[in-house]
């Protein structure tokens, strides 16, 4: 696309509607891109922990370690207030080399203290073989240029060399690139069109047959050569080829991804039998053309497809395309090309074809009675949206209102059970009946979800406030201990659990059922956040009592339990003072 102004970019236009991201200044674009690429529903809650931008940031503006997704994002961001038709300055792209040096090579004691925790977290995840992919981005709001792309490619090669030296037994993939308007628009457009590739592709008259459901979908079933699949992979890359897939290629780490290793071995050693050894591929297309063998026949030869996105078979495609040998001409894979226009049907096809991977566990609880009841109770809300595990495309306004299902479940576990489970077993909440019931008791109310979620939002805002002051050298000395405490991994979940432990002390009376505790209906979401800030400010005065519980990324369960009990006893001293210390909070809570 030829850009003549910033508003030619649909991504940029959509970004201007994201009022919730404006508090992050010029990093709003980096966070929005992360949200789209990583499919994070709670980017604002993540922001205080991942923003590293500042005077001594080593050119790392954002550093996100996503253990659940087994990936790291390292971003240097540049945002021009005016449109730059010639692209971003190549010197800014070259400066990304400082970032990768700080992340992988620098003596940790020489890494600036302000970003040291994030760097240590990234190195720890790598050392524990918890990362499969590293995304290194020079992100800007300009047209992309070769001058900016070349330094990123060189940086990517350097990182691969370092990873091969430091983590010899791991298969870590590196994607180092500039992310300008073209790529940002692809990320944005993927929300609205699951098929980003629109080229017409010659299929060389593949024999097969047509199946269809009138008014819904048409499919051509055939087989393709592995070399054709690799050509698609090499030509378009993962982001485009797997745009409608809920999971990209995950690599072939020998320890954790043995299935992909076996696919590669089978492709090399048993190419002639691969067709019957492999489950095959499902791909969405904009259109296809075929020549029937005779009038009215469903048998025919496929001439071309227009557009493609693989919705099932990313691991097969990636494994075949990343072997260190040429793909045998004898290797064939079964495939069905599906033409479908209805968005709901596309989502159903995608989910059905990936259900064996449990892509989003919440998908399989979305229809239970509790989630249905909760969704119905939120329908009339003006400032909150809860989808209860149902996935749907959201407008910018809806995105600002959203209470992400996975985050809601995680903080409910922190409030009602234990921060260790909330931090380390987030993905199990939807599978484990015991954990699920701890989060979503039969009696849970809409008001309680808002009550606990706004607590988490308030913690995030306070963390951002302290982090901003620290980054800009404006944090008073007396508050540096609090800032260090707030920077610990998982600290929000610890604070949520600590708050739950003293909620009866604050209220001055027994609470028979914590799952119905809420703010009065007259309290808005923003007002609830402000009420919680007064509580958190009080809790932070005793952060030294909780700080030992943050060691080991909330993995030392007994130490955490002991610290919470000490904190509870410590705060009990204020029992008679809370009505005076927190008058607005106590009078607006109901149960």
């Amino acid at each position: 696309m030829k850009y003549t102004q910033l508003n030619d970019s649909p991504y940029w236009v959509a970004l201007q509607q994201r009022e919730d991201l404006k508090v992050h200044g010029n990093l709003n674009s980096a966070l929005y891109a992360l949200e789209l690429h990583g499919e994070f529903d709670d980017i604002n809650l993540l922001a205080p922990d991942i923003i590293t931008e500042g005077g001594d940031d080593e050119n790392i503006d954002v550093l996100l370690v996503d253990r659940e997704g087994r990936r790291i994002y390292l971003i240097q961001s540049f945002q021009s207030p005016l449109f730059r038709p010639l692209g971003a300055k190549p010197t800014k792209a070259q400066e990304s080399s400082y970032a990768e040096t700080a992340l992988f090579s620098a003596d940790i004691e020489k890494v600036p203290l302000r970003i040291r925790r994030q760097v240590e977290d990234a190195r720890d995840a790598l050392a524990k073989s918890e990362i499969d992919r590293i995304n290194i981005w020079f992100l800007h709001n300009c047209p992309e240029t070769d001058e900016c792309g070349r330094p990123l490619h060189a940086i990517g090669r350097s990182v691969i060399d370092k990873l091969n030296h430091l983590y010899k037994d791991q298969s870590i993939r590196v994607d180092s690139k500039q992310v300008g308007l073209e790529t940002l628009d692809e990320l944005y457009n993927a929300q609205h069109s699951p098929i980003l590739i629109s080229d017409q592709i010659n299929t060389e008259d593949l024999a097969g047959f047509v199946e269809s459901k009138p008014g819904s979908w048409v499919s051509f079933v055939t087989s393709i050569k592995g070399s054709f699949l690799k050509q698609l992979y090499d030509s378009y890359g993962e982001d485009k080829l797997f745009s409608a897939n809920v999971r990209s290629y995950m690599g072939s780490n020998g320890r954790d991804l043995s299935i992909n290793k076996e696919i590669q071995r089978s492709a090399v050693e048993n190419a002639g039998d691969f067709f019957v050894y492999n489950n095959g591929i499902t791909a969405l297309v904009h259109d296809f053309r075929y020549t029937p063998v005779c009038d009215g026949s469903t048998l025919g030869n496929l001439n071309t497809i227009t557009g493609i996105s693989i919705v099932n078979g990313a691991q097969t495609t990636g494994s075949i395309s990343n072997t260190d040998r040429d793909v045998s001409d004898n290797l064939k894979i079964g495939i069905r090309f599906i033409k479908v226009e209805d968005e709901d049907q596309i989502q159903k096809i995608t989910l059905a074809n990936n259900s064996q991977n449990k892509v989003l566990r919440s998908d399989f609880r979305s229809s239970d009675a509790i989630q249905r009841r909760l969704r119905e109770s939120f329908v009339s809300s003006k400032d909150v949206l809860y989808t209860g595990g149902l996935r749907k495309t959201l407008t910018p306004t809806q995105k600002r209102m959203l209470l992400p299902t996975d985050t809601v479940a995680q903080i409910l576990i922190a409030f009602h059970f234990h921060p260790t489970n909330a931090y380390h077993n987030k993905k199990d909440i939807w599978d484990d009946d015991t954990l699920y019931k701890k989060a979503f008791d039969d009696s849970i109310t809409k008001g309680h979800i808002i009550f606990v979620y706004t607590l988490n939002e308030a913690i995030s805002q306070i963390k951002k406030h302290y982090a901003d002051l620290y980054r800009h050298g404006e944090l008073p000395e007396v508050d540096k201990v609090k800032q260090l405490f707030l920077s610990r991994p998982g600290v929000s979940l610890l604070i949520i659990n600590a708050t739950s432990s003293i909620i009866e002390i604050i209220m001055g009376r027994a609470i028979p059922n914590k799952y119905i505790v809420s703010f009065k209906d007259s309290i808005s979401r923003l007002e609830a956040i402000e009420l919680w800030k007064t509580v958190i400010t009080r809790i932070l005065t005793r952060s030294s009592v909780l700080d030992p519980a943050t060691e080991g990324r909330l993995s030392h369960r007994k130490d955490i339990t002991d610290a919470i009990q000490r904190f509870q006893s410590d705060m009990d001293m204020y029992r008679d003072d809370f009505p005076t210390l927190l008058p607005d909070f106590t009078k607006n809570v109901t149960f």
Side-chain angles (χ1 to χ4, degrees), residues 24-84:
H24 304 293
N26 283 347
L27 290 180
N28 62 336
S29 181
L31 294 174
Y32 188 32
L34 259 182
E35 177 182 285
L36 295 174
H37 189 272
E39 297 184 333
F40 297 109
D41 286 328
D42 51 359
I43 198 65
N44 275 309
L45 298 179
L46 292 173
D49 294 323
I50 65 177
I51 291 176
T52 51
E53 177 266 341
D56 56 351
D57 60 19
E58 300 294 283
N59 290 303
I60 304 175
D61 291 324
V62 175
L63 180 55
L64 169 61
V65 181
D66 176 19
R67 280 178 162 86
E68 187 175 0
R70 302 184 63 85
R71 55 194 172 177
I72 291 173
Y73 288 89
L74 185 156
I75 301 175
Q76 183 192 15
S77 176
F78 167 72
Q79 190 171 133
S80 173
L82 301 174
F83 177 64
R84 293 175 58 92

Side-chain angles (χ1 to χ4, degrees), residues 18 20 35 40-41 394-402:
R18 289 295 300 272
D20 58 317
E35 177 182 285
F40 297 109
D41 286 328
L394 302 177
T395 66
T397 299
Q398 290 175 319
K399 194 74 176 177
R400 290 196 297 271
M401 296 166 54
L402 181 67

